[in-house]
Amino acid sequence: MDNATETIRRILQETGDTWAVVGLSTNRSRAAYGVAEVLQRFGKRVVPVHPKAEPVHGEQGYASLAEIPFPVDVVDVFVNSDLAGGVADEAVAVGAKAVWFQLGVVDEEAYERTRAAGLEMVMDRCPAIEIPRLG
């Protein structure tokens, strides 16, 4: 697995600014809520993906990646590791450019499949921690 600083920099600075955040809901106590706020502060468009499909941070929510009617650059995954591989596969299917598994989300097989499909990927990292490190 390669969680290289260079891959993180490319995803955050070059891959595009539309981020689908899978697991983002209106629950302010969840990590996804705060991380999405940080992403917005750094100029990213955050698209909530959650079964409730509720609007969060001023953006329309969708029940699945497939329902988003516009291109998504990065899929940020806030679901349990046992569900994350399926989300990574959906990200490939909808044409995303990168997949980001949050802290604690690890699936080596999904990582290999996603990279084999040509997408950038990081695992077990948090963009809200990494963005400020880029300077």
Side-chain angles (χ1 to χ4, degrees), residues 15-27:
T15 301
D17 290 333
T18 302
W19 284 54
V21 181
V22 179
L24 175 58
S25 70
T26 57
N27 184 342

Side-chain angles (χ1 to χ4, degrees), residues 10-91:
R10 274 195 310 271
I11 292 173
L12 290 171
Q13 295 181 333
E14 298 172 13
T15 301
D17 290 333
T18 302
W19 284 54
V21 181
V22 179
L24 175 58
S25 70
T26 57
N27 184 342
R28 293 171 180 268
S29 67
R30 303 289 302 194
Y33 192 89
V35 169
E37 274 184 325
V38 171
L39 289 168
Q40 281 187 324
R41 251 195 334 269
F42 283 91
K44 306 300 183 191
R45 177 182 185 188
V46 170
V47 182
V49 179
H50 188 277
K52 293 180 182 173
E54 52 199 355
V56 185
H57 299 309
E59 285 284 350
Q60 171 63 47
Y62 297 91
S64 69
L65 290 173
E67 292 179 24
I68 300 172
F70 47 83
V72 168
D73 300 310
V74 181
V75 175
D76 191 5
V77 182
F78 278 94
V79 299
N80 293 331
S81 295
D82 57 341
L83 301 174
V87 176
D89 295 339
E90 286 179 52

Side-chain angles (χ1 to χ4, degrees), residues 106-123:
V106 176
D107 181 335
E108 296 287 347
E109 291 177 7
Y111 179 89
E112 295 303 326
R113 285 195 312 272
T114 304
R115 293 293 297 130
L119 281 69
E120 297 263 30
M121 184 164 179
V122 293
M123 209 164 43

